[in-house]
Amino acid sequence: MVDVVGAVLGWLVSEAGRAGLSILGKSTRTILAQTCEAAFREAATELVPEAEATWLADALAEVAQTRQLTIDTAVEDLGFRAAIDNWVTTLAEPNPVTDDASILERLDLDGERVSDVLCAALDRQLAAAYLTYAGSKPELVNLIDVVWRRNDAARLTEQNRTLEALRHEVAELASAPVDGFTIDMPLVRDTEPLALGVHRAITSDFEEPPSPRPLYVMRSADHRLRRLISGVDSRRMCLLVGESSTGKTRGAWEAIRDRVPEWTLVRPDSARDLNRLTEANAVPPESVVWLDEAQDFLSGPDAAESAQSLLRLLNEGPQPLLLIATIWPTYLPDPHADDRGSRLVRQLLNDHCEQIDWPDSFASVVVESDEVSDLIARDPRLRTAFATAGESAKVTQVLSGGTQAVRQYRDGDSDAANMVRAAVLMRKLGHHGPLPMSLLRAGFAALVDAADTDERADAALASACRPIHGVAALTEVVEDGQFRYRVHDYVYQQLPPNGVFFSVPAGLWDALMAHTDDVDTRASIASAAKVRHLLEIAYQLARPAAERGHRQATSIVAEILLGQDLQKTARQVLRSSAAAGNQDAMWKLANLLQSINETASRHWLARAARAGHKRAMLAYSTMLASEGHTEHAMWFQRKVAESDPHHAFVLGNQLLGDTSLGLRVPGMVSYAPTDDENVTEGIDWIRVAAEAGHKLARRDLGDVLRWAGRNEEASEWERREAPRIAHDIADWYTRTGRPEEAEQLLARASRAGVTFYQWDLGPLIESLGDDPDGEDILTELADKGSVDAAEALANRLSRQGRDTEAEQVLRAAAEDSVHGLEALGTWLRHQGRGGEVEADLRRQMHHSPHAASALIDLLHADDRAADLEAAVLTQAELWPRATWTMKSRLEEWGLEHLVEVALRRSAATGDPEAAMTLSDWLAKDGRPEESDGWLRQAAEKDHWPSPREYGVRLIHTGDAPAGERWLRRAVLSGDDRALRLLADVVPDPSTLATWGLRPDGTTATPWRPTTETESTDATA
């Protein structure tokens, strides 16, 4: 229906400046499209009986698509009613889709009445949009105002409101809270932690606790967070990174309650709310913006919009302002991802954020201290947690109830354990919301592989929801009047399957298809099925979502249909989604049509470009440039550069005449610097890229400004950017023999608050010897938590005979981190006092593989062979995956005999990674049979990539059928590389590629979509 926007309101586009709807924000374009769609369907419902309304709406949309350019040209200079009259005349012509009677003839409609109804429907919907978005979308309100200023203001709504009355109402709304922001903004001191995401704590069966929530035990990360909050006088973002149930959210809440209790707390519920808060400037000064589970904002399709909103708050928001966020490490942005969302999130986190690694244990807490022992004595929940955690010191996990639930369900085979496993599997496959009871029943039946299981399932569900010390693995919630169930975060994270590669029982796919209605969820699960080459299941899951315009689902459906050579059906799916505003569908449709040499390809490429699709804009720009439409091509280049810093940088260089970068961005148009105007614009684009954080642009802007003779601007930029570009320049200073200048530059950067460079200063200053200013700089950095700086300071103090001070510095660092403890152990060993830290290292080795490695180093230095061997074997049991990194050191020390012993000890723990490592060792040592046994053990646990590697090994050793079965299993676990290998060994790879696999691993027989259109397409 989005085509109706262009067809019916094409003249409005020219009123907006002949730049098209792309001058508007993405969300505004979506609102306008939805407004016109609603008006169009409303008109269709009024014109014909309900049974024919859908057909009419679809037919009119098809006409609008085929007449788009003609109508735009025809109505450009007409008024509102005249434009609609002009368009309606086309409805009297033969239908261009079916080539039969016109729409008006088929439905016996009068053209004048169609115009009246459509005009009135558009008036009503535009008026509603005018009022609804008065305070949040000024460009939309102004655009609609243009429509009515040009036309008869008497036809505004069925209530006969006048344009002036609407404007008056808009003025009142604009001064009121923005629609959708009736959220509470309480003071921090009035908030409750459970409402902010803190896990419910365990209860005590024997003793009344002293407070509703467990008493709080501080760790070193708490002190650092509070120091950062105390120093907020402008704008600051703190990101707490840690695994589930490690106390991140509770720590953040305790910190703001302690430091800024009178500030306002603002908690957006979604990326959309965050964006609207920012656009409306609704965040007051002295606010804490609360982003618990920041992955909900900074990953997925909303990542770019959320990152932009947060960057705007940090650059232009009120002061003082504090942003507090928590995130699991697995959700940090991929450093290699090149999509716009990932780039913006990396810019946000790298350049504007203080990141705090939240510890997963209380290993650094001295339990015997008066303060901690008093808290434990007063709170029975803390006593239970510390006692249960034992040497692991994972106290918060016990407090959250996660540890007990994981122990109960990890290896059990009870019905309750199978119910919890079903919930975990379905969440890992993409069902992230609460699970309906019907889905849990069906999932449970799939795992136990039995019929008539409803009673067993209900009993299992009741058991899984039964609290263990007040906390349950599954929690009942009510949504839309229905009972649903949410799996505990820690249980989800810790229970197998671990990672993204795992097999799925066949019946679980059936359960998900039958009991999942939400389109986002269906699309997410369809993606998981497609990765496993379960094409029919992916299609069945995605199709309902695709029919409702879901972008990801549309792509899945179209790709599967094209794989079956159903081009007509794929075209229809893409066209329908494209008509609903799906930019990706427009782009894919343009490419599909181009591949079959259809002229409509250009139309859809232009549509995608105007809608803001980056690749389409670049491709269309190239096309326009090749046709001599240089200025038009440049308009699209500039639009891409506005949202893509790298493209802005390349475009700037192109305008300055440097074409060496042209191939980096497809579709780049080259220009020579023939006049000052191009030079000015080129510099402006490099500045845009630099301001957005583009490293090369930040580096080059000063030189470019000097080249253009703008020396004052160059000096100002270099002064401003010195802290940020300091690392690159300092590295160059050091490599060219100027370490003193490097030290001064990095010191200025650190004092300016750019904490990233603090980690480079310690070794650098240490290399300078006894530089006069070095001690002050190192002391400052050590106080901020840099262990490298603390180690460099201790070495400096030791050289000056100040061993007592050096030891104090390192002991302070050891309290905060295992890295600090390693540094202290190394220093004490050099002082001949290694034994003093040995007890601490032995205690810490249960919590950190680094501490275990430090202990092994200490024992080797003291030549204590028996203790060393015992420590190596203990590390192998505690940290199976650290054994491989220890291997090279053992070989260096001449202790090869220990390597295999340690590897076997690690593999014996059942860790599949350790089993794979031992398998590799045995294979290199010429023991293939034993190697195969350990590799199979890892493969049976679906540990990537062992099923694939085991299958390949079997094929190479002559057991092709068994190897093929393992490759099929690898594909079903999500290993796409295994699919390529499988295609090389199956007799008919085209059948495998076209129809996919069944959940049992066999190649699917040909299946066809069952709708009438698709059946016709298949026959043709």
Side-chain angles (χ1 to χ4, degrees):
M1 293 303 168
V2 176
D3 293 281
V4 179
V5 178
V8 180
L9 299 179
W11 63 273
L12 184 152
V13 173
S14 65
E15 282 290 319
R18 297 185 184 274
L21 296 178
S22 54
I23 65 167
L24 303 175
K26 178 181 175 183
S27 58
T28 301
R29 295 199 307 273
T30 301
I31 292 167
L32 185 57
Q34 291 170 345
T35 299
C36 291
E37 177 183 346
F40 205 66
R41 291 195 178 279
E42 178 185 338
T45 303
E46 185 174 344
L47 286 166
V48 296
E50 183 177 353
E52 296 179 312
T54 301
W55 179 89
L56 174 59
D58 291 342
L60 293 179
E62 198 70 39
V63 172
Q65 290 169 14
T66 58
R67 300 305 178 97
Q68 175 74 44
L69 298 176
T70 303
I71 293 171
D72 275 350
T73 303
V75 303
E76 202 167 67
D77 298 318
L78 300 177
F80 186 80
R81 176 57 187 251
I84 293 176
D85 286 344
N86 181 280
W87 181 72
V88 169
T89 60
T90 65
L91 306 182
E93 301 174 7
N95 191 330
V97 179
T98 60
D99 205 24
D100 56 13
S102 73
I103 293 174
L104 296 184
E105 289 174 343
R106 174 169 175 171
L107 297 177
D108 193 23
L109 290 173
D110 175 70
E112 186 174 349
R113 180 166 185 270
V114 173
S115 294
D116 289 340
V117 171
L118 187 54
C119 188
L122 280 164
D123 270 334
R124 286 191 291 271
Q125 294 297 334
L126 287 171
Y130 193 80
L131 290 168
T132 301
Y133 299 99
S136 60
K137 295 290 178 188
E139 73 271 36
L140 176 64
V141 171
N142 291 337
L143 197 60
I144 297 173
D145 207 7
V146 169
V147 177
W148 286 327
R149 281 181 187 278
R150 186 168 181 175
N151 292 278
D152 181 8
R155 305 177 294 96
L156 291 177
T157 67
E158 58 188 359
Q159 290 83 14
N160 293 318
R161 293 180 181 172
T162 64
L163 178 57
E164 288 68 27
L166 277 171
R167 288 190 183 125
H168 177 73
E169 193 165 346
V170 165
E172 291 182 350
L173 286 170
S175 62
V178 180
D179 179 49
F181 291 117
T182 56
I183 60 173
D184 289 335
M185 293 189 183
L187 296 179
V188 168
R189 60 176 166 80
D190 296 329
T191 57
E192 282 297 324
L194 289 180
L196 298 181
V198 175
H199 287 136
R200 188 175 299 279
I202 60 174
T203 58
S204 171
D205 297 333
F206 307 105
E207 187 178 339
E208 187 68 25
S211 63
R213 51 190 169 272
L215 299 178
Y216 195 69
V217 180
M218 298 268 285
R219 290 175 281 179
S220 57
D222 291 286
H223 295 293
R224 184 184 174 203
L225 176 59
R226 295 184 186 207
R227 285 197 300 270
L228 289 171
I229 294 175
S230 298
V232 175
D233 54 5
S234 56
R235 310 177 191 96
R236 175 169 290 168
M237 179 175 180
C238 298
L239 179 69
L240 281 58
V241 182
E243 303 291 352
S244 172
S245 304
T246 54
K248 303 182 299 295
T249 309
R250 174 74 187 275
W253 180 76
E254 292 284 352
I256 61 172
R257 192 180 65 145
D258 179 67
R259 294 295 195 247
V260 287
E262 300 302 320
W263 284 24
T264 300
L265 187 132
V266 181
R267 185 193 185 192
D269 290 328
S270 64
R272 179 175 178 269
D273 277 357
L274 174 63
N275 182 48
R276 297 187 67 188
L277 277 166
T278 308
E279 284 188 353
N281 297 318
V283 179
E286 295 192 343
S287 286
V288 177
V289 178
W290 185 264
L291 301 173
D292 189 41
E293 305 293 356
Q295 61 266 19
D296 294 342
F297 299 86
L298 300 179
S299 61
D302 297 321
E305 187 175 32
S306 296
Q308 278 188 315
S309 296
L310 294 173
L311 285 167
R312 179 177 169 185
L313 277 175
L314 289 165
N315 290 322
E316 306 169 16
Q319 300 186 62
L321 179 69
L322 176 66
L323 279 66
I324 291 279
T326 68
I327 196 169
W328 293 3
T330 53
Y331 289 112
L332 288 171
D334 181 350
H336 306 295
D338 193 41
D339 61 283
R340 179 167 173 259
S342 296
R343 291 197 302 270
L344 285 170
V345 172
R346 287 198 299 268
Q347 178 189 340
L348 170 72
L349 301 187
N350 293 340
D351 295 346
H352 299 271
C353 180
E354 296 282 355
Q355 183 172 311
I356 302 175
D357 293 327
W358 208 256
D360 66 351
S361 77
F362 280 67
S364 62
V365 172
V366 181
V367 178
E368 296 79 13
S369 69
D370 291 342
E371 180 181 358
V372 176
S373 59
D374 177 61
L375 292 172
I376 294 173
R378 289 165 51 201
D379 194 328
R381 294 163 298 190
L382 284 181
R383 286 202 301 277
T384 298
F386 273 93
T388 303
E391 290 185 336
S392 74
K394 294 189 174 182
V395 174
T396 52
Q397 292 85 336
V398 178
L399 282 172
S400 73
T403 300
Q404 299 89 310
V406 168
R407 287 176 180 172
Q408 178 159 345
Y409 298 118
R410 180 186 293 277
D411 300 314
D413 194 31
S414 66
D415 282 353
N418 282 317
M419 178 62 74
V420 173
R421 285 195 198 102
V424 168
L425 272 171
M426 289 187 284
R427 182 172 168 184
K428 287 182 184 286
L429 286 170
H431 200 305
H432 299 298
L435 301 158
M437 181 181 290
S438 60
L439 177 56
L440 282 172
R441 281 176 173 169
F444 171 80
L447 260 64
V448 300
D449 194 24
D452 301 324
T453 56
D454 280 359
E455 288 187 10
R456 283 179 63 188
D458 290 347
L461 182 58
S463 178
C465 291
R466 191 170 298 125
I468 304 171
H469 295 293
V471 179
L474 299 180
T475 303
E476 187 177 81
V477 297
V478 178
E479 284 191 359
D480 301 325
Q482 295 184 346
F483 289 114
R484 296 175 184 266
Y485 300 85
R486 190 186 303 277
V487 63
H488 192 291
D489 279 348
Y490 190 70
V491 172
Y492 165 73
Q493 192 179 65
Q494 296 296 320
L495 278 188
N498 297 314
V500 297
F501 300 98
F502 53 89
S503 298
V504 182
L508 204 60
W509 294 110
D510 295 329
L512 288 163
M513 284 193 290
H515 300 281
T516 304
D517 297 322
D518 179 74
V519 292
D520 289 328
T521 303
R522 286 188 74 95
S524 182
I525 300 169
S527 180
K530 188 172 179 299
V531 165
R532 290 162 170 78
H533 209 51
L534 298 168
L535 299 184
E536 185 174 9
I537 290 174
Y539 180 87
Q540 297 297 341
L541 281 162
R543 183 177 174 88
E547 289 174 345
R548 294 171 64 178
H550 193 283
R551 299 189 177 197
Q552 181 185 15
T554 298
S555 296
I556 292 171
V557 168
E559 189 174 334
I560 292 172
L561 290 172
L562 288 172
Q564 298 181 7
D565 203 25
L566 298 176
Q567 290 190 352
K568 180 179 177 183
T569 308
R571 268 204 322 270
Q572 186 178 39
V573 169
L574 288 171
R575 178 169 288 178
S576 176
S577 185
N582 184 338
Q583 298 175 13
D584 292 331
M586 295 176 195
W587 166 248
K588 289 177 179 176
L589 180 58
N591 285 307
L592 172 59
L593 294 173
Q594 184 183 34
S595 70
I596 56 178
N597 297 316
E598 286 205 13
T599 56
S601 169
R602 181 190 180 99
H603 164 67
W604 285 108
L605 178 63
R607 287 284 308 281
R610 293 189 190 108
H613 190 281
K614 176 184 170 183
R615 293 173 66 188
M617 292 170 82
L618 294 173
Y620 191 47
S621 172
T622 300
M623 180 185 293
L624 291 169
S626 68
E627 296 169 351
H629 304 301
T630 304
E631 284 306 313
H632 200 179
M634 273 301 291
W635 186 88
F636 285 101
Q637 293 286 336
R638 292 178 181 117
K639 293 300 292 184
V640 175
E642 287 174 4
S643 60
D644 185 334
H646 179 65
H647 192 83
F649 175 65
V650 176
L651 179 58
N653 279 275
Q654 292 278 346
L655 288 165
L656 295 176
D658 178 4
T659 60
S660 63
L661 298 173
L663 294 178
R664 290 192 184 182
V665 178
M668 173 56 62
V669 181
S670 298
Y671 294 86
T674 56
D675 52 44
D676 291 342
E677 186 177 333
N678 274 1
V679 170
T680 300
E681 184 180 357
I683 293 174
D684 287 345
W685 282 119
I686 294 176
R687 184 186 291 276
V688 166
E691 297 279 6
H694 191 279
K695 290 183 178 180
L696 295 176
R698 279 161 40 188
R699 180 199 66 187
D700 291 351
L701 181 58
D703 291 339
V704 170
L705 289 168
R706 291 191 190 283
W707 169 80
R710 293 155 65 172
N711 295 325
E712 253 184 64
E713 290 180 66
S715 298
E716 175 59 31
W717 173 259
E718 288 162 354
R719 280 194 298 271
R720 193 184 109 187
E721 280 296 288
R724 295 193 183 280
I725 61 175
H727 180 270
D728 295 335
I729 299 176
D731 180 60
W732 179 72
Y733 279 157
T734 304
R735 285 187 284 105
T736 55
R738 299 156 64 186
E740 293 84 359
E741 293 175 69
E743 177 196 348
Q744 293 168 3
L745 190 61
L746 286 175
R748 286 200 304 273
S750 293
R751 285 170 174 159
V754 187
T755 57
F756 176 80
Y757 305 114
Q758 294 172 5
W759 314 111
D760 299 307
L761 265 175
L764 177 60
I765 294 176
E766 177 66 12
S767 71
L768 294 175
D770 294 330
D771 178 75
D773 297 326
E775 184 174 330
D776 291 340
I777 297 171
L778 287 173
T779 300
E780 180 181 342
L781 297 180
D783 288 343
K784 289 182 176 180
S786 169
V787 175
D788 288 337
E791 196 167 12
L793 177 59
N795 291 336
R796 170 188 292 259
L797 294 172
S798 290
R799 286 196 302 270
Q800 298 172 359
R802 299 156 65 185
D803 287 345
T804 302
E805 294 175 67
E807 184 174 343
Q808 290 173 347
V809 169
L810 288 173
R811 287 198 179 277
E815 290 179 3
D816 285 344
S817 72
V818 173
H819 184 191
L821 186 61
E822 288 183 71
L824 174 62
T826 301
W827 187 85
L828 288 173
R829 191 171 71 244
H830 290 158
Q831 300 291 317
R833 298 162 53 196
E836 294 182 26
V837 79
E838 181 179 336
D840 286 336
L841 288 173
R842 287 189 180 280
R843 179 170 59 90
Q844 288 282 7
M845 73 182 298
H846 292 275
H847 317 298
S848 166
H850 303 296
S853 297
L855 176 62
I856 290 168
D857 287 342
L858 173 65
L859 296 172
H860 174 257
D862 290 346
D863 199 22
R864 293 160 57 185
D867 290 340
L868 171 64
E869 181 172 345
V872 167
L873 297 181
T874 301
Q875 183 197 44
E877 288 182 349
L878 292 173
W879 308 104
R881 301 187 183 189
T883 305
W884 183 255
T885 58
M886 178 58 62
K887 180 179 74 71
S888 59
R889 288 155 78 183
L890 293 175
E891 291 172 336
E892 180 185 336
W893 296 339
L895 300 174
E896 290 86 351
H897 68 284
L898 263 184
V899 174
E900 184 176 338
V901 176
L903 289 173
R904 287 187 179 279
R905 184 72 64 92
S906 296
T909 65
D911 183 90
E913 179 76 21
M916 277 193 67
T917 302
L918 177 58
S919 173
D920 289 343
W921 169 270
L922 293 169
K924 291 174 183 176
D925 198 44
R927 290 179 272 175
E929 290 185 4
E930 197 176 356
S931 171
D932 288 351
W934 285 106
L935 182 58
R936 175 168 184 143
Q937 187 178 114
E940 287 173 343
K941 295 185 178 181
D942 289 324
H943 181 72
W944 182 87
S946 54
R948 182 208 329 144
E949 292 193 356
Y950 187 54
V952 170
R953 189 175 292 186
L954 288 170
I955 291 171
H956 287 167
T957 55
D959 194 352
E964 181 182 329
R965 287 195 297 274
W966 276 102
L967 287 178
R968 289 177 182 275
R969 176 168 175 168
V971 174
L972 290 177
S973 72
D975 188 342
D976 59 344
R977 289 182 62 187
L979 178 61
R980 294 193 289 272
L981 295 170
L982 180 61
D984 291 336
V985 299
V986 296
D988 188 0
S990 63
T991 300
L992 173 68
T994 303
W995 310 112
L997 295 175
R998 293 193 184 99
D1000 63 2
T1002 58
T1003 301
T1005 55
W1007 55 273
R1008 294 286 187 182
T1010 55
T1011 67
E1012 180 180 348
T1013 303
E1014 290 165 335
S1015 297
T1016 303
D1017 192 11
T1019 303

